[in-house]
């Protein structure tokens, strides 16, 4: 065999090995607390609160199509194609009823589905991985306490090769932002649960969040603001803490115009349900951003 | 009280100036909404105890009622998004295809205005807060179905 032919065979083998590497299912190690009980009422109640703060229902509910909360089916448009949110009620066949607590943690903390395949970044696990294990399991207990809804998952409408889940691993390797410090309660509510940056942090051409421009908002090429920034210099500078707290409670801006678009859902299902202390912490954190 | 009076006069002046500036039906509506927003803000501050309830709040409560009462007349046929020269409007065609539903929200706002006037007249902060919630629901109840979100 000539050197040339050997080289071709080696390159082909390397390519095959790389694809196999990407397709190989992954099951990162997670450790569920030994005393976790999915039916614990106190845990379920806390989970309801955490689930609201995490804004799950805004995406996992096809409200306009007359769907059931948490049963998914909502179309989420992106520049890369349309995602259809999955059913996260505990239905065995069409929901997450068959998921174990470990399955759930693997998704929340590492972004892998029970099949071992990576989730798409439309599921904001890059934020959710900052959620404490206690809180993540509380969300699981809450979701498992819901009435199961049988609603089959419609497929995402993505072009190839983006539709191939293994391609996500390459994307992750290139674009997954570094972790952020969420020891402050407000930072935890903003970055971990609220995943505000999913919309309010600008992204690069391939959809990667620009972590050096955290919460600075999104503008188009002409400079028109598409998503307002949440830092003082990019959007909230003229808002007092009081005005921001009011806005996140009742949806009225400082000029008493009503909130619109996705943020209306965030307020209705999320921030308006926070305790006054949590909302104040969230506001204080946002107001601390320069 | 005097401070309230001056602020009230300032608000009235601002409103009369804006009434002069407003030209077409769309500009007029936008200005009416801005004035109503300013009135809501004045009422909310008083409800929270940040200012006292005075003449300014009375004027603001009347403004809310007046807006509610005027809304049907502010949206005559031919002033929708598909009509000539109405390019800037965010009014949806549903306003005219569902005129009953639309005017019901206007009536709800007018009634909220009555509740606001009563609460202000009684100097009752709690009642003012409740009336504001009622007015707020009317705002959202109309904006959600009948206004196109900002791009």
């Amino acid at each position: 065999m000539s050197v040339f032919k050997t080289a071709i065979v080696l390159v082909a083998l390397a390519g095959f090995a790389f694809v196999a590497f990407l397709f190989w299912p992954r099951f990162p190690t997670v450790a569920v607390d030994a005393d976790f009980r999915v039916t614990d009422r106190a845990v379920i109640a806390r989970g309801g609160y955490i689930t609201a703060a995490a804004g799950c229902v805004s995406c996992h509910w096809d409200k306009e199509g007359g769907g059931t909360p948490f049963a998914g089916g909502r179309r989420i448009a992106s520049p890369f194609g349309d995602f259809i949110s999955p059913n996260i009620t505990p239905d065995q066949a069409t929901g997450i009823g068959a998921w174990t607590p470990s399955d759930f943690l693997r998704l929340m903390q590492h972004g892998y589905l029970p099949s071992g395949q990576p989730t798409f970044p439309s599921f904001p696990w890059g934020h959710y991985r900052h959620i404490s294990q206690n809180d993540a399991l509380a969300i699981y207990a809450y979701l498992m306490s819901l009435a199961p809804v049988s609603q089959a998952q419609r497929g995402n409408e993505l072009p190839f090769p983006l539709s191939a889940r293994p391609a996500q691993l390459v994307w992750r390797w290139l674009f997954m932002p570094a972790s952020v410090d969420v020891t402050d309660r407000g930072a935890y509510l903003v970055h971990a649960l609220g995943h505000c940056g999913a919309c309010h942090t600008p992204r690069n051409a391939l959809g990667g969040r620009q972590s050096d421009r955290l919460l600075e908002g999104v503008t188009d090429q002409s400079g028109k603001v598409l998503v307002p920034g949440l830092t003082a210099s990019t959007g909230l500078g003229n808002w007092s803490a009081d005005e921001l707290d009011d806005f996140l409670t009742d949806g009225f801006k400082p000029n008493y115009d009503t909130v619109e678009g996705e943020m209306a859902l965030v307020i209705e299902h999320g921030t308006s349900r926070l305790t006054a202390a949590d909302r104040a912490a969230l506001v204080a954190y946002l107001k601390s951003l320069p | 009280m005097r401070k309230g009076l001056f602020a009230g006069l300032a608000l009235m002046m601002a409103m009369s100036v804006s009434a002069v500036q407003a030209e077409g039906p769309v500009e007029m509506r936008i200005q009416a909404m801005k004035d109503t927003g300013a009135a809501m803000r004045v009422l909310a501050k008083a409800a929270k105890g940040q200012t006292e309830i005075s003449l300014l709040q009375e004027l603001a409560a009347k403004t809310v009622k007046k807006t509610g009462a005027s809304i049907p007349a502010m949206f005559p046929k031919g002033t929708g998004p598909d009509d000539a020269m109405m390019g800037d409007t965010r009014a949806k065609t549903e306003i005219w295809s569902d005129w009953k539903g639309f005017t019901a929200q206007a009536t709800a706002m007018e009634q909220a205005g009555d509740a606001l006037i009563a609460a202000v007249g009684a100097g009752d902060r709690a009642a003012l807060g409740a009336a504001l919630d009622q007015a707020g629901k009317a705002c959202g109840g109309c904006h959600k179905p009948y206004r196109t979100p900002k791009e």
Side-chain angles (χ1 to χ4, degrees):
Chain A
M1 205 153 53
S2 71
V3 175
F4 183 64
K5 279 182 183 166
T6 313
I8 287 180
V9 169
L10 282 179
V11 167
L13 274 177
F16 180 77
F18 181 64
V19 171
F21 168 77
L22 289 184
F23 272 87
W24 207 260
R26 285 166 172 76
F27 304 96
T29 314
V30 289
V32 178
D33 309 285
D35 59 351
F36 172 68
R37 296 286 173 271
V38 69
T39 52
D40 186 326
R41 287 202 177 177
V43 175
I44 291 170
R46 205 167 58 80
Y49 181 75
I50 302 294
T51 302
C56 310
V57 79
S58 293
C59 283
H60 291 280
W61 182 12
D62 182 19
K63 196 178 182 183
E64 288 187 3
T68 313
F70 299 103
R74 187 189 155 184
R75 179 178 295 270
I76 297 155
S78 88
F80 310 99
D82 288 2
F83 296 94
I84 313 290
S85 66
N87 179 353
I88 55 169
T89 69
D91 184 58
Q92 289 286 327
T94 64
I96 61 167
W99 290 31
T100 64
S102 302
D103 287 338
F104 192 75
L105 285 185
R106 222 172 270 124
L107 178 69
M108 296 289 276
Q109 297 176 346
H110 302 281
Y112 287 94
L113 296 164
S115 64
Q117 297 294 319
T119 176
F120 288 110
S122 50
F123 175 72
W125 73 275
H127 299 270
Y128 286 170
R129 68 192 161 138
H130 298 95
I131 295 178
S132 73
Q133 172 137 331
N134 248 338
D135 282 357
L137 286 172
I139 294 175
Y140 173 81
Y142 174 73
L143 293 177
M144 287 298 166
S145 77
L146 298 172
V149 176
S150 174
Q151 180 175 300
Q153 165 74 14
R154 284 183 290 145
N156 295 322
E157 293 168 17
L158 302 170
F160 185 82
L162 299 181
S163 54
R165 288 194 182 270
Q168 284 310 311
L169 294 180
V170 180
W171 187 88
R172 271 180 201 191
W173 176 65
L174 290 171
F175 298 124
M176 186 46 74
S179 296
V180 288
D181 181 4
V182 293
T183 40
D184 172 75
R185 179 69 181 167
Y188 182 71
L189 287 160
V190 165
H191 292 299
L193 293 172
H195 60 286
C196 307
C199 290
H200 288 280
T201 295
R203 292 175 184 266
N204 64 26
L206 287 171
R209 273 184 290 130
Q210 298 172 267
S211 46
D212 54 335
R213 298 183 55 199
L214 226 51
L215 303 177
E216 290 183 9
V218 182
T219 46
D220 69 8
Q221 285 173 338
S222 68
K224 189 180 148 195
V225 176
L226 301 178
V227 183
L230 304 181
T231 67
S233 57
T234 61
L236 288 181
N238 293 329
W239 291 47
S240 73
D242 238 17
E243 287 170 338
L244 186 53
D245 199 305
D246 283 350
F247 175 68
L248 296 174
T249 309
D250 60 23
F252 279 104
K253 300 174 192 173
N255 68 357
Y256 270 79
D257 189 5
T258 51
V259 63
E260 297 178 310
E262 286 299 302
M263 196 61 203
L265 298 175
V266 172
I267 292 173
E268 184 186 347
H269 304 303
T271 55
S272 69
R273 301 183 187 208
L274 293 177
T275 61
D278 268 353
R279 197 164 42 244
L282 190 160
V283 166
Y285 174 74
L286 286 180
K287 287 302 289 177
S288 76
L289 302 175
Chain B
M1 191 65 211
R2 254 179 96 176
K3 212 170 145 198
L5 245 168
F6 280 124
L9 282 171
L11 185 69
M12 271 198 282
M13 275 169 66
M15 284 163 64
S16 55
V17 167
S18 64
V20 172
Q21 279 175 343
E23 292 157 15
V26 175
E27 289 81 5
M28 217 162 80
R29 295 197 292 240
I30 291 173
Q31 196 55 56
M33 290 302 140
K34 284 186 179 163
D35 293 343
T36 311
M40 288 286 284
R41 192 177 152 98
V42 160
L43 291 162
K45 286 204 164 178
K48 282 202 274 182
Q50 292 171 354
T51 56
E52 49 183 311
I53 298 179
S54 68
L55 191 64
L56 183 59
Q57 280 68 34
E58 196 183 316
L59 190 63
K62 284 179 180 163
T63 301
V64 174
K65 178 177 160 85
K66 190 178 145 217
T67 304
S70 318
I71 280 175
M74 283 196 287
F75 290 83
K77 270 188 186 159
T79 63
D82 302 333
D83 298 300
M85 313 293 288
M86 300 294 156
D88 285 343
T89 189
R90 287 161 64 201
K92 282 189 181 174
T93 54
E94 279 83 346
I95 290 176
W96 294 276
S97 64
D98 179 27
W99 184 250
K100 262 192 178 170
F102 176 69
T103 50
Q105 292 299 333
T107 306
M109 182 168 190
E110 203 182 338
Q111 287 166 350
D114 282 329
L116 286 167
I117 291 168
V120 167
D124 183 342
R125 282 193 204 289
L128 182 55
L132 269 172
D133 280 350
Q134 196 184 334
K137 286 209 176 79
C139 298
C142 208
H143 286 165
K144 271 181 207 161
Y146 303 114
R147 181 173 74 164
T148 310
K150 260 186 196 158
E151 285 282 297

